[in-house]
């Protein structure tokens, strides 16, 4: 179990060989994410089954809904990040996002089979996620030493993924106990989400401590940075390349829901077991998130990001391979877990040190927005190709797209100019003509 401390960014470095404690704010944010993920994954685990098998939506219609909800996230990420940076209002903006997601559950409860209301509920949930993600990740960055960002994000993502494990289990238990009453899942999900909002209000600090003793106003450089806007960081070539690569790789990333539907289609198992599919990937993610984060801190964050997308490419290939069904099931879930452990928090840890004070939420939001918008196109395109030509053709197209994206990212992603994968302050604040790529 990780021990908490105040987690000051200006604290003196820990002597070599001494194990650092995970900042207390990171643990608090992890607890909120754990509870919130139980709520969201209860819905996510059953939603593809509910929409495609229950309501009879086609893969193209499901892709449009999934793309719409993901696109709604992208529309507010920049706004949420920029607003959070102004005056250091990370807690206030993040809290609005958590509350919006929780309030989307009653809409699902009342929607029945109306596709429009279902789309509205999904959009509200993703809007809430879009608003809260950048402020939350900015708080992790601001309360963690730069050289430990991989470990801090890994710890948070591990706690977050614990919720992702418990959510489908809770959904399955409710469906079993209520004879497939999806309304019960949506109602309980709302209650759990509301509890997550309460934890955010009680546990997360309102401002970034300047001296470890209490809240403080942002430093002058932070206020100046926030006025410059979230796109100001694009003046840095290294940061621009990170944003571009996030978009390229996102455009070749097939959503989990499609992969789970493909597994269910290939294995032809009873639909009752569908909510268990995310558990395998979540368990692997939970086990690997912290070790991969620590490895990224020691060796640089570029390679884990590339290797993680390589694991996703192998998962696509397994779905096409003439292998026993059990091997395909285990392999795909294992590779999905590796993919998320090596990419989710690592991408934020890679981008964070290249951002100036006062631009953390906005700068991270730009990276997340580029990735989210690209995934909108990926979801719609995959659903369209599946509907028109079948799942095999769609998977082949996805493999080709991801291979091309990986080749480009291997050329474009910046290598870290100093030890432990962290740029020196002067290198993170301004473009460096000597930056190189591997």
């Amino acid at each position: 179990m990780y021990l908490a401390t105040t987690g000051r960014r200006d604290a003196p470095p820990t002597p070599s060989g001494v194990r650092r404690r995970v900042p207390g704010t990171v643990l608090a944010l992890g607890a909120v994410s754990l509870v919130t993920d139980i709520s969201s994954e209860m819905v996510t685990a059953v939603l593809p089954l509910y929409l495609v098998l229950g309501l009879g939506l086609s893969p193209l219609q499901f892709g449009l809904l999934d793309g719409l909800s993901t696109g709604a996230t992208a529309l507010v990420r920049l706004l949420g990040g920029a607003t959070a940076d102004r005056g250091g209002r990370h807690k206030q903006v993040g809290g609005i996002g958590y509350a919006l997601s929780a309030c989307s559950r009653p809409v699902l409860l009342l929607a029945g089979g109306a596709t429009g209301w279902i789309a509205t509920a999904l959009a509200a949930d993703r809007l809430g996620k879009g608003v809260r993600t950048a402020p939350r990740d900015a708080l992790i960055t601001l309360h963690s030493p730069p050289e430990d960002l991989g470990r801090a994000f890994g710890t948070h993502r591990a706690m977050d993924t614990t919720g992702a494990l418990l959510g489908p289990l809770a959904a399955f238990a409710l469906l079993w106990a209520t004879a497939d009453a999806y309304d019960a899942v949506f109602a309980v999900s709302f209650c759990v989400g509301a509890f997550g909002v309460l934890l955010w209000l009680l546990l997360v600090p309102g401002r970034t401590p300047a001296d470890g003793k209490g809240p403080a106003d942002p430093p002058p450089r932070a206020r100046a940075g926030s006025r410059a806007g979230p796109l100001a960081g694009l003046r840095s070539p290294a940061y621009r390349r990170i944003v571009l690569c996030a978009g390229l790789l996102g455009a070749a990333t097939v959503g989990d829901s499609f992969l789970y539907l493909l597994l269910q289609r290939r294995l032809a198992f009873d639909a009752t077991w569908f909510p268990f599919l995310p558990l395998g990937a979540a368990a692997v993610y939970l086990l690997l998130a912290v070790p991969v984060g620590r490895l990224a801190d020691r060796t640089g964050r570029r390679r884990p990001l590339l290797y993680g997308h390589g694991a996703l490419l192998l998962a696509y290939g397994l779905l096409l391979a003439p292998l026993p069904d059990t091997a395909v099931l285990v392999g795909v879930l294992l590779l999905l877990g590796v993919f998320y452990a090596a990419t989710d928090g690592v991408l934020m840890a890679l981008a964070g040190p290249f951002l100036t004070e006062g631009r953390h939420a906005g700068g991270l939001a730009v990276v997340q927005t580029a990735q989210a918008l690209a995934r909108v196109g990926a979801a719609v395109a995959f659903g369209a190709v599946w509907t028109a030509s079948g799942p095999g053709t769609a998977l082949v197209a996805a493999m080709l797209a991801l291979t091309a994206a990986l080749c480009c990212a291997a050329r474009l992603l910046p290598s870290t100019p100093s030890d432990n994968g962290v740029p020196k302050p002067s290198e993170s604040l301004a473009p460096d003509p000597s930056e190189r790529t591997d």
Side-chain angles (χ1 to χ4, degrees):
M1 186 67 185
Y2 300 101
L3 301 176
T5 186
T6 54
R8 295 166 49 197
R9 289 175 61 83
D10 58 348
T14 304
S16 178
V18 177
R19 184 180 179 86
R20 298 180 182 89
R21 296 177 176 179
V22 175
T25 299
V26 174
L27 297 180
L29 292 167
V32 174
S33 293
L34 188 156
V35 173
T36 302
D37 242 36
I38 293 176
S39 171
S40 62
E41 292 300 326
M42 287 178 67
V43 174
T44 301
V46 302
L47 202 58
L49 190 67
Y50 177 59
L51 296 178
V52 177
L53 301 183
L55 300 183
L57 269 64
S58 71
L60 175 57
Q61 290 174 312
F62 178 74
L64 288 170
L65 275 177
D66 189 60
L68 172 65
S69 57
T70 303
T73 306
L75 293 176
V76 297
R77 284 182 189 269
L78 291 176
L79 178 62
T83 303
D85 281 336
R86 292 191 183 99
R89 294 193 291 265
H90 301 96
K91 178 172 182 176
Q92 293 89 330
V93 175
I96 292 172
Y98 280 103
L100 185 58
S101 290
C103 291
S104 71
R105 309 294 186 246
V107 180
L108 275 176
L109 189 62
L110 300 174
T115 305
W117 282 107
I118 293 172
T120 300
L122 292 178
D125 177 54
R126 298 298 176 91
L127 281 170
K129 184 176 182 179
V131 169
R132 72 179 184 252
T133 300
R136 181 202 66 200
D137 286 349
L139 285 172
I140 296 174
T141 303
L142 291 168
H143 285 82
S144 305
E147 66 274 11
D148 283 343
L149 276 178
R151 180 164 168 257
F153 275 102
T155 300
H156 173 269
R157 296 314 198 248
M159 298 178 72
D160 182 272
T161 307
T162 301
L165 275 169
L166 297 176
L169 286 174
F172 177 81
L174 280 171
L175 289 177
W176 177 79
T178 60
D180 294 338
Y182 290 96
D183 287 354
V185 175
F186 300 150
V188 174
S189 172
F190 166 69
C191 295
V192 177
F195 180 59
V197 175
L198 179 63
L199 288 180
W200 175 273
L201 295 174
L202 295 177
L203 299 181
V204 177
R207 306 293 285 272
T208 303
D211 57 2
K213 297 180 180 179
D217 291 329
R221 187 174 63 173
R223 292 194 292 269
S226 64
R227 286 196 298 269
L231 299 179
L234 293 173
R235 290 194 294 265
S236 166
Y239 176 72
R240 281 203 306 269
R241 293 199 295 270
I242 293 172
V243 174
L244 177 59
C245 290
L248 287 173
L249 293 169
T253 301
V254 175
D256 296 356
S257 297
F258 276 120
L259 297 183
Y260 297 146
L261 285 171
L262 287 167
L263 279 174
Q264 195 276 336
R265 180 189 181 96
R266 171 165 176 166
L267 276 64
F269 53 77
D270 189 274
T272 307
W273 298 99
F274 190 88
F276 278 107
L277 287 178
L279 297 183
V284 177
Y285 186 8
L286 174 62
L287 292 174
L288 295 181
V290 176
V292 170
R294 295 179 66 186
L295 179 65
D297 286 337
R298 291 197 302 268
T299 65
R301 294 153 191 163
R302 178 179 177 274
R303 290 182 179 177
L305 187 65
L306 295 173
Y307 293 156
H309 283 88
L312 181 63
L313 181 62
L314 291 176
Y316 294 172
L318 272 183
L319 286 167
L320 294 170
L323 296 173
D325 288 346
T326 302
V328 172
L329 174 65
V330 174
V332 168
L333 297 182
L334 175 65
L335 289 168
L336 267 180
V338 172
F339 163 66
Y340 281 111
T343 60
D344 188 10
V346 172
L347 177 60
M348 296 297 99
L350 173 65
F354 288 99
L355 300 170
T356 62
E357 293 293 335
R359 297 179 191 163
H360 288 92
L364 294 176
V366 171
V367 178
Q368 295 161 358
T369 299
Q371 186 179 64
L373 287 175
R375 288 182 176 180
V376 171
V380 175
F382 189 85
V385 176
W386 182 349
T387 302
S389 304
T393 303
L395 274 173
V396 170
M399 290 181 67
L400 293 174
L402 184 52
T403 300
L406 272 171
C407 292
C408 292
R411 294 283 299 171
L412 293 173
L413 277 176
S415 57
T416 51
S418 65
D419 294 337
N420 296 325
V422 180
K424 299 174 184 177
S426 61
E427 293 166 327
S428 65
L429 299 177
D432 183 356
S434 66
E435 285 176 335
R436 63 181 181 86
T437 56
D438 289 344

